[in-house]
Every structure is written in structure tokens, then in C-alpha cells.
Amino acid sequence: MRRSERWLPAAFRALVRTALDQIKAVHGQTEVLGVFPAMPVSLAVELGRVRLPKADMPWLLYDQVNARGGFIRALTIPEGGTTTMIVNSTVNSILQLILTEIEIPRSYNEKAVARHRSLGEWLCRPESPVVAFAPVVVPQGSFRYGTVVRPIVLTQKYDLDNVTTLQIAKTRPAPCIRGT
């Protein structure tokens, strides 16, 4: 499957979910599913997101290593969701490559920080209607937790969430909401 603007991650996940359910229906939940992920990194990440640790069969992922004569066992994800990794330099190299592919460029992170700062400065300017409430802008979501990944579709934009806190004095008790 190629990267394109028309391809939707949700469609890929739905297709994989259907396939996994059909495989489980035929082979049962305890049979180990061999996975040979010959796909772009973005699809491999989506493939992993589809797996339901408590409901799906165990997975045994393979990696193609021509120097060792073909495919080798790389990662086992047993029933119950516990992950056991076979430690070798090939697997570590693959994981490093995945991280490099999904991590956002440093310039994008710097741009996000600058935009949060800019919004805070704009809200704190003297003519701002909220300046009296001492607004504080902080990142929210994936930027706050450092878990931002590149969009799967190249034309998608990053979603920049923030929380703005205003210091508003409480002058009277909040109204009581009564149940019916």
C-alpha cells in the first residue's frame, strides 16, 4: 500500500482488524500468528495499534536479515500483552530506525514552543481583554508529554493543543445543580 493523500489510517486499521478477527475465528486465540511486516514504518505502527492484547492471539514478528539467510525471529508478543524482545543489534537498529522515522524534527518542536509562547504573549499584551486575569498558556496532549509523532499522511498538519489558565477570583459561591 502506498502513502497517498487518499489513504486513511482508519481504513487500514479496519482492514487489519477484520483480517485478525477472521484469522482468530479459524485458528483460535491461542495459536501464534507469524507476522512478516514488509511495509512502511507508518503502517507497522498502525498494525501494532490494532492489536488488542487481551483479545488477540500471540504474535511472532520476523525480520529479514539477508546476512543470516532470510527471516529471523525478532519480537514475540505473547498472550496477555507481555512483550519479550530478542536482543540483537539488528532489532535495535530497526527500533532506532522506527524512532527516527516517527519522531518529529527538532525544528517542529521549537516552532510549537514558540507558538505557545507567542499565544501567551498575545493574551498578556496590554490591550488584551483577558490581561487582567494573568493568562498562562501551556502545551497539552502529545506535545506536553513528548509523544508527538509525524502524521502518517504527509499533507496532514500537526495538531497543537494548549490549555490557557486565567486567574479569576471567586466572588460568590458556585450555583448548586440539583438532580431531577
Side-chain angles (χ1 to χ4, degrees):
M1 190 176 290
R2 292 177 150 177
R3 276 188 167 188
S4 78
E5 292 180 18
R6 294 183 305 251
W7 178 79
L8 298 174
F12 176 75
R13 287 192 300 268
L15 182 67
V16 171
R17 181 75 259 147
T18 300
L20 290 174
D21 290 342
Q22 290 174 355
I23 293 168
K24 186 170 63 172
V26 171
H27 298 283
Q29 189 171 345
T30 58
E31 187 70 30
V32 177
L33 176 64
V35 179
F36 296 78
M39 63 184 68
V41 172
S42 57
L43 291 181
V45 169
E46 291 301 316
L47 177 68
R49 291 178 63 197
V50 171
R51 186 175 185 281
L52 301 172
K54 294 181 181 179
D56 284 335
M57 58 196 351
W59 286 10
L60 175 57
L61 283 85
Y62 290 85
D63 179 33
Q64 185 174 5
V65 181
N66 293 332
R68 293 185 54 193
F71 287 94
I72 62 167
R73 292 175 182 221
L75 181 67
T76 303
I77 305 175
E79 183 177 356
T82 305
T83 303
T84 306
M85 216 167 128
I86 299 169
V87 179
N88 65 43
S89 61
T90 303
V91 172
N92 290 336
S93 296
I94 291 168
L95 291 174
Q96 187 61 47
L97 179 64
I98 290 170
L99 290 174
T100 302
E101 278 293 314
I102 66 174
E103 190 173 49
I104 66 168
R106 173 170 277 158
S107 63
Y108 281 53
N109 189 58
E110 291 168 357
K111 187 186 240 183
V113 169
R115 288 191 175 165
H116 282 295
R117 186 177 298 120
S118 174
L119 176 60
E121 290 169 358
W122 186 79
L123 292 172
C124 289
R125 72 193 196 291
E127 62 274 12
S128 170
V130 296
V131 70
F133 303 113
V136 176
V137 178
V138 295
Q140 182 62 19
S142 58
F143 272 97
R144 178 179 182 181
Y145 298 110
T147 57
V148 179
V149 295
R150 290 183 182 171
I152 293 172
V153 178
L154 295 176
T155 58
Q156 285 182 338
K157 302 197 186 278
Y158 291 93
D159 181 24
L160 188 57
D161 300 318
N162 67 63
V163 172
T164 302
T165 306
L166 303 175
Q167 303 300 317
I168 300 174
K170 194 172 186 178
T171 57
R172 59 181 176 186
C176 182
I177 300 174
R178 298 183 192 269
T180 55

